[in-house]
């Protein structure tokens, strides 16, 4: 059903009533092939309004494979996800303003990205036919997740930091998962499929199955065997500064999508543990219990992000702030979060055990509030090795810490965080090695490290005495044209 190619007759709308109150869309991903009937979404609804391509097809029950079905699938998923986050964060506008543009099909590419102008989607070949990234609720809610996080933590946009960039990807995957959980039919299906044990591979944990299959056909080791990324995974924290810049999907690298899986895995494992810890019957949680815990966890993630300073070991700072935030929501959540973050080495045992003391520290809370608006320090890095004649000015993960949270090394010892400059240097080295930088005509052509046919996430901007590094976008990644 997912990839059936319709005939001309089928392309006609099944329902002719332009005033129909419902639309047909995919539940989570075309690869799952499960459809759901939903109320007609209002894209202009505030606070988080969208501008879709015009003219809009009349709302109706269209067949998969048609542009009209894709339009309403994207619209339904984005409205559902944005309404969820608007309430949770809360948000009164996007980082880009009152309205976020959505471009449903910009041409051939197995990709999607958020560039502070719009959510951008594409189409490309797969063994089962053409796939459209904008047709997957998983992918559209992932891209919207970038826009949501950018709207309440804009400092992460330009931070030259592996952990900040990877967390952006993780938050976007959490957005896809949490947006899916808002559908009662998904909750019921997942509880049945997993026998009530949520930390098992399921439609909920597997993200972007269809796009994953399309990428796998071109680059077999670039994605997981059954999807783009699976939130059920056993990756544990390693300092990304010391990781390889690229690795097969079965291994961890410092590449943001790869490294994001450490935090997403902890998030998903926490969700399952928190449901089991609070359900009336831990073996048979109800769909109401699942959505209630998922919404609590979303609020805890948001609180952690807001409180954490943008520093080189961002994962540990967010995790520690989440443990603190959880204590104010439900005591039973705290040991689950601590145990998960410690098991993933995102928090050292020392840091996890110190969160209670910090909980009582009024001074720390005050410092955290001050930190939120503190600008990131710009540092000029020597840049001759990148083929540049002037120093490269980058924003470093340099906000002040109210307290020190640490991740753990494989031997369980706390990891002393790298300096902001060391973290920034490692991140920028990887951008150049991965070909993610648009030189923008800066520097002599023969000295540049340019890779053709690679989507650029950053660009160089020449100023009088320095070259400045600017972020262009967050992409969904892993695909080379
Ligand atoms: Zn992304």
């Amino acid at each position: 059903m997912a990839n059936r190619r319709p005939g001309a007759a089928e392309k006609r709308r099944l329902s002719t009533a332009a005033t129909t109150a419902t639309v047909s869309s995919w539940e989570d991903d075309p690869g799952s092939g499960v459809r759901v009937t939903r109320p007609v979404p209002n894209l202009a609804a505030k606070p988080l309004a969208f501008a879709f391509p015009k003219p809009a097809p009349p709302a109706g029950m269209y067949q998969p494979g048609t542009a009209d079905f894709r339009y309403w699938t994207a619209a339904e998923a984005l409205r559902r996800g944005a309404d969820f986050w608007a309430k949770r964060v809360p948000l009164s506008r996007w980082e880009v303003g009152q309205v976020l543009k959505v471009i449903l099909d910009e041409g051939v590419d197995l990709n999607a990205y958020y560039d502070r102008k719009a959510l951008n989607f594409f189409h490309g070949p797969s063994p089962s036919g053409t796939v459209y990234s904008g047709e997957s609720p998983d992918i559209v809610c992932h891209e919207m997740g970038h826009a949501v996080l950018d709207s309440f933590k804009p400092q992460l946009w330009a931070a030259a930091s592996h952990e900040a960039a990877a967390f952006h990807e993780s938050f976007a995957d959490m957005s896809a998962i949490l947006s899916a959980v808002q559908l009662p039919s998904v909750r019921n299906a997942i509880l049945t499929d997993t026998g009530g044990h949520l930390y098992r591979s399921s439609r909920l944990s597997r993200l972007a199955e269809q796009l994953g299959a399309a990428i796998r056909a071109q680059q077999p080791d670039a994605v997981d065997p059954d999807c783009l990324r699976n939130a059920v995974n056993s990756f544990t924290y390693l300092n990304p500064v010391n990781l390889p810049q690229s690795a097969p999907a079965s291994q961890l690298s410092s590449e943001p999508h790869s490294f994001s899986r450490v935090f997403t895995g902890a998030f998903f494992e926490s969700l399952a543990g928190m449901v089991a810890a609070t359900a009336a019957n831990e073996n048979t949680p109800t769909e109401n219990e699942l959505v209630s815990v998922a919404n609590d966890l979303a609020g805890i993630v948001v609180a952690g992000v807001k409180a954490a300073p943008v520093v080189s070991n961002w994962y540990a700072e967010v995790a520690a702030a989440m443990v603190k935030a959880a204590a104010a929501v439900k005591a039973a959540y705290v040991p689950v979060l601590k145990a998960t973050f410690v098991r993933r080495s995102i928090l050292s045992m020392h840091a996890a055990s110190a969160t209670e003391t910090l909980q009582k520290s009024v001074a720390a809370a005050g410092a955290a509030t001050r930190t939120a608006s503190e600008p990131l320090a710009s540092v000029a890095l020597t840049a001759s090795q990148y083929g540049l004649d002037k120093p490269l000015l980058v924003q470093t993960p340099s906000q002040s810490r109210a307290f020190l949270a640490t991740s753990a090394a494989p031997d369980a010892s706390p990891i002393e965080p790298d300096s902001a400059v060391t973290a920034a240097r490692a991140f920028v080295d990887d951008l150049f090695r991965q070909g993610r930088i648009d030189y923008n005509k800066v520097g002599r052509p023969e000295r540049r490290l340019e890779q053709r046919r690679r989507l650029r996430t950053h660009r160089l901007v020449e100023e009088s005495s320095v070259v400045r590094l600017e972020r262009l976008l967050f992409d969904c990644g892993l695909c080379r044209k």
Side-chain angles (χ1 to χ4, degrees):
M1 183 164 70
N3 299 308
R4 193 161 64 92
R5 300 179 74 84
E10 284 179 303
K11 289 185 178 174
R12 289 197 301 272
R13 261 187 319 140
L14 297 184
S15 164
T16 52
T19 53
T20 181
T22 55
V23 294
S24 178
S25 61
W26 297 123
E27 262 192 355
D28 63 337
D29 187 79
S32 303
V34 182
R35 272 184 276 172
V36 65
T37 300
R38 295 280 295 159
V40 176
N42 176 9
L43 290 167
K46 288 181 176 164
L48 300 181
F50 295 99
F52 260 51
K54 294 232 163 67
M61 306 290 282
Y62 297 97
Q63 276 290 357
T66 63
D68 295 344
F69 178 85
R70 288 197 292 275
Y71 182 101
W72 286 111
T73 287
E76 190 284 323
L78 287 174
R79 183 72 278 147
R80 170 163 40 92
D83 286 350
F84 170 74
W85 285 119
K87 216 182 292 172
R88 281 286 133 194
V89 176
L91 285 173
S92 57
R93 47 164 283 164
W94 301 104
E95 170 65 16
V96 298
Q98 294 295 332
V99 181
L100 179 61
K101 204 170 155 191
V102 178
I103 305 174
L104 284 177
D105 187 8
E106 269 186 82
V108 178
D109 198 357
L110 293 174
N111 214 339
Y113 61 79
Y114 165 68
D115 60 0
R116 270 193 175 171
K117 295 186 193 114
L119 305 181
N120 305 261
F121 302 98
F122 299 83
H123 70 271
S126 89
S128 54
T130 301
V131 301
Y132 294 80
S133 58
E135 185 177 346
S136 164
D138 277 355
I139 296 171
V140 300
C141 290
H142 171 103
E143 297 308 325
M144 180 203 59
H146 282 300
V148 165
L149 179 56
D150 194 28
S151 302
F152 76 95
K153 198 75 171 182
Q155 297 90 344
L156 294 174
W157 175 265
S161 153
H162 285 117
E163 295 198 18
F167 185 84
H168 236 282
E169 297 305 332
S170 180
F171 186 90
D173 280 354
M174 292 183 231
S175 171
I177 291 165
L178 290 164
S179 299
V181 166
Q182 301 311 305
L183 288 174
S185 55
V186 168
R187 300 197 291 271
N188 282 317
I190 299 311
L191 288 170
T192 303
D193 293 351
T194 61
H197 299 282
L198 289 168
Y199 191 65
R200 286 179 182 168
S201 184
S202 69
R203 276 208 281 136
L204 192 61
S205 76
R206 290 188 295 270
L207 292 154
E209 292 94 323
Q210 189 190 56
L211 185 71
I215 295 173
R216 198 178 311 115
Q218 296 185 10
Q219 297 163 50
D221 68 354
V223 296
D224 280 342
D226 52 1
C227 60
L228 188 66
R229 283 182 293 280
N230 199 327
V232 172
N233 65 60
S234 52
F235 293 111
T236 57
Y237 180 91
L238 293 165
N239 187 349
V241 167
N242 305 322
L243 282 172
Q245 46 150 341
S246 168
S250 57
Q251 296 165 29
L252 197 62
S253 78
S254 60
E255 194 282 325
H257 300 85
S258 176
F259 198 68
S260 75
R261 297 176 298 172
V262 176
F263 208 98
T264 309
F267 162 83
F268 204 77
E269 197 176 347
S270 297
L271 173 64
M274 288 159 65
V275 168
T278 56
N281 182 337
E282 72 169 297
N283 292 315
T284 54
T286 65
E287 56 112 354
N288 273 332
E289 288 167 336
L290 168 55
V291 73
S292 166
V293 172
N295 293 352
D296 282 350
L297 181 54
I300 290 166
V301 172
V302 167
V305 168
K306 285 181 177 174
V310 179
V311 289
S312 63
N313 63 336
W314 163 257
Y315 270 26
E317 294 284 349
V318 175
M322 282 175 62
V323 173
K324 281 171 58 186
V329 181
K330 200 172 274 185
Y333 293 156
V334 175
V336 177
L337 281 172
K338 273 192 197 179
T340 308
F341 284 131
V342 165
R343 203 178 78 67
R344 297 266 173 180
S345 295
I346 292 172
L347 281 181
S348 65
M349 286 187 276
H350 177 82
S353 64
T355 49
E356 268 135 46
T357 345
L358 297 165
Q359 181 70 22
K360 297 176 189 121
S361 167
V362 177
T369 310
R370 286 195 301 280
T371 293
S373 55
E374 185 185 342
L376 303 184
S378 289
V379 168
L381 304 175
T382 54
S384 56
Q385 70 276 37
Y386 308 137
L388 301 175
D389 300 326
K390 298 175 183 174
L392 182 64
L393 197 65
V394 304
Q395 291 190 33
T396 60
S398 52
Q399 288 188 329
S400 327
R401 286 184 172 84
F403 57 89
L404 178 62
T406 48
S407 295
D411 68 358
S413 61
I415 299 175
E416 184 70 22
D418 288 312
S419 75
V421 175
T422 300
R425 167 67 78 189
F427 179 76
V428 173
D429 279 350
D430 279 4
L431 288 181
F432 278 99
R433 291 198 289 177
Q434 289 276 328
R436 305 311 294 268
I437 292 188
D438 176 359
Y439 272 75
N440 198 18
K441 299 195 171 118
V442 177
R444 294 199 299 278
E446 68 277 14
R447 294 196 59 207
R448 295 178 196 151
L449 300 165
E450 276 184 312
Q451 296 178 29
R452 294 170 62 81
R453 301 172 71 83
R454 187 79 168 107
L455 183 69
R456 277 66 182 262
T457 57
H458 291 72
R459 78 168 165 208
L460 304 179
V461 178
E462 190 153 26
E463 295 181 348
S464 54
S465 58
V466 292
V467 175
R468 196 160 38 80
L469 181 70
E470 269 186 10
R471 179 178 280 282
L472 292 170
L473 53 89
F474 281 104
D475 73 335
C476 92
L478 304 176
C479 10
R480 289 167 188 269
K481 288 184 197 172

